[in-house]
Amino acid sequence: MATIEAQKLRRMIRRFRVLIVGRANAGKTTILQKVCNTTDQPEIYDTKGNKIDTDIVKSSIKRGNHNITNEMIFKSNPIFVFHDSCGFEAGSEDEFENMKKFISERAHATELQERIHAIWYCIPMDDPCRTFQRSEEKFFLECDTGRVPVVAIFTKFEALCPFAYGEIKKELKGVSSEERSKRIAERVEELFTKTGVCDRLCNPDNRARPKSYVRLQNMNKHNTNCDALLESTTLALDDEELRLCLVSTQQSNMELCIQCAITILLDRAHQLFGLLRFDYGPYQYEIARWFPHLKVRKKLIQSDDSLVMMLTDDVY
């Protein structure tokens, strides 16, 4: 696909579509709210664009009739479209087959805007003895996700701290608060490794394997965000235009834009030039492309001994 400016790309793709998977109470809704910077509940639409009463949706889920094709959209960021796998995690074989069919169809859809562009699989860490259950095993063993990247999200990661503290409580008597925090953090890492969840996700027999991993904690607190998830998803995408589309949903998140621009473009430069010196001038415009809310004056101006690309913060 030829390079397309972020604004033109957004008109072409229109939406960034995500399938979110995970057991009940894995923190899925909270994650979506954080991503869209809202505390509101999403609006639900069918495939024809008709709005569905959320009470009807909840009632259908209770009866075991969940339609994975329904779209969840938050008013605060309508560029995102979310699909929820709700159903198969409880052990319903029919729901699992419906999800496999949905992934297969949407991963290879002819219309770019109808494809799913990423899959977020949420694995809660509030019970370290049951992190990888039959639902996770079936998904990763049997689902063919094609080129759609899967991001494994370890939710409620803070829940490992009480377990870690309980195991080394006696050892912490008389130690400084700094040393105490250090030892608890070390034990958390040991507990996480002991769950074996990463080894099972990387099982060579799996048809689907995560392209990246993210730990999220304290998502119920107002000062937390999902920047790590958005950055990880951006870097997991193998299509630059899709990366630009995802970043363009985060116009107010300058830090994320900068992180993605620097990580991706400098990595490309190093691949091309290795450790040799190269001219940063041509990359100024490329970096500017990652800021869709900025206008870029293509005329370069002289500043000291270098050329500088002029940016303004006018919104298109």
Side-chain angles (χ1 to χ4, degrees):
M1 184 183 294
T3 299
I4 303 172
E5 299 303 332
Q7 295 295 327
K8 294 180 181 178
L9 182 74
R10 283 178 60 178
R11 289 194 292 270
M12 177 179 172
I13 299 180
R14 294 175 55 194
R15 297 168 165 182
F16 191 86
R17 196 176 296 272
V18 177
L19 170 64
I20 188 164
V21 187
R23 290 169 251 152
N25 300 315
K28 293 181 291 183
T29 301
T30 301
I31 288 173
L32 301 186
Q33 289 173 326
K34 290 283 186 178
V35 166
C36 293
N37 194 28
T38 185
T39 57
D40 295 336
Q41 292 297 311
E43 295 181 335
I44 313 295
Y45 296 87
D46 63 19
T47 54
K48 295 181 179 180
N50 300 313
K51 189 174 180 179
I52 305 174
D53 191 311
T54 54
D55 290 334
I56 295 177
V57 175
K58 291 177 182 178
S59 178
S60 296
I61 293 174
K62 288 181 180 179
R63 295 195 306 270
N65 300 319
H66 172 71
N67 192 342
I68 194 173
T69 64
N70 286 343
E71 302 177 345
M72 297 187 295
I73 300 174
F74 292 87
K75 287 183 177 180
S76 59
N77 202 334
I79 298 175
F80 276 111
V81 177
F82 300 105
H83 296 270
D84 189 352
S85 68
C86 179
F88 92 92
E89 299 89 347
S92 169
E93 191 63 31
D94 288 342
E95 291 286 356
F96 180 70
E97 292 301 321
N98 287 338
M99 185 199 64
K100 284 176 61 177
K101 180 182 177 183
F102 174 81
I103 292 176
S104 178
E105 291 177 349
R106 293 302 185 97
H108 304 95
T110 305
E111 297 268 343
L112 189 57
Q113 65 179 3
E114 293 301 319
R115 294 181 193 172
I116 48 172
H117 303 123
I119 298 173
W120 293 343
Y121 201 112
C122 301
I123 302 176
M125 303 305 297
D126 51 356
D127 187 348
C129 295
R130 302 177 69 246
T131 56
F132 205 86
Q133 300 183 16
R134 177 56 182 162
S135 56
E136 283 78 30
E137 185 177 28
K138 280 178 66 66
F139 177 90
F140 288 99
L141 277 175
E142 301 181 28
C143 287
D144 178 11
T145 59
R147 294 178 60 191
V148 178
V150 179
V151 179
I153 309 172
F154 302 117
T155 64
K156 304 182 179 181
F157 205 82
E158 75 281 359
L160 290 176
C161 288
F163 290 100
Y165 174 74
E167 291 186 1
I168 61 174
K169 184 177 180 180
K170 294 181 180 179
E171 303 173 19
L172 298 177
K173 290 183 178 179
V175 302
S176 66
S177 58
E178 183 178 351
E179 180 65 21
R180 173 192 178 106
S181 298
K182 178 183 175 182
R183 292 189 187 182
I184 291 176
E186 290 173 348
R187 184 52 61 97
V188 164
E189 292 301 321
E190 291 173 5
L191 282 174
F192 180 63
T193 302
K194 190 177 178 181
T195 65
V197 63
C198 288
D199 292 334
R200 299 185 73 175
L201 288 171
C202 295
N203 183 344
D205 294 331
N206 289 347
R207 296 191 70 184
R209 297 185 194 177
K211 198 164 182 181
S212 62
Y213 306 84
V214 176
R215 301 177 181 183
L216 296 181
Q217 54 188 346
N218 299 316
M219 285 292 104
N220 59 323
K221 296 184 178 179
H222 75 278
N223 61 340
T224 55
N225 58 57
C226 285
D227 285 3
L229 172 58
L230 291 167
E231 180 181 2
S232 183
T233 303
T234 302
L235 299 179
L237 295 166
D238 60 6
D239 187 294
E240 184 167 310
E241 279 66 44
L242 282 177
R243 287 174 169 177
L244 282 165
C245 182
L246 177 54
V247 171
S248 73
T249 68
Q250 304 296 308
Q251 291 191 11
S252 62
N253 194 336
M254 185 69 71
E255 183 178 355
L256 178 64
C257 294
I258 292 172
Q259 287 174 339
C260 291
I262 291 175
T263 301
I264 293 170
L265 296 173
L266 289 186
D267 180 63
R268 182 199 302 171
H270 289 147
Q271 288 178 11
L272 290 172
F273 301 100
L275 298 178
L276 298 177
R277 289 193 61 186
F278 57 92
D279 183 9
Y280 282 89
Y283 288 92
Q284 292 182 18
Y285 180 71
E286 289 296 311
I287 290 175
R289 292 175 64 230
W290 291 92
F291 303 90
H293 53 295
L294 295 177
K295 282 187 177 180
V296 181
R297 296 184 190 175
K298 295 186 178 181
K299 179 181 178 182
L300 298 177
I301 61 172
Q302 190 74 32
S303 175
D304 298 328
D305 60 348
S306 62
L307 292 174
V308 178
M309 182 72 70
M310 293 185 64
L311 303 178
T312 65
D313 60 359
D314 298 325
V315 179
Y316 283 91

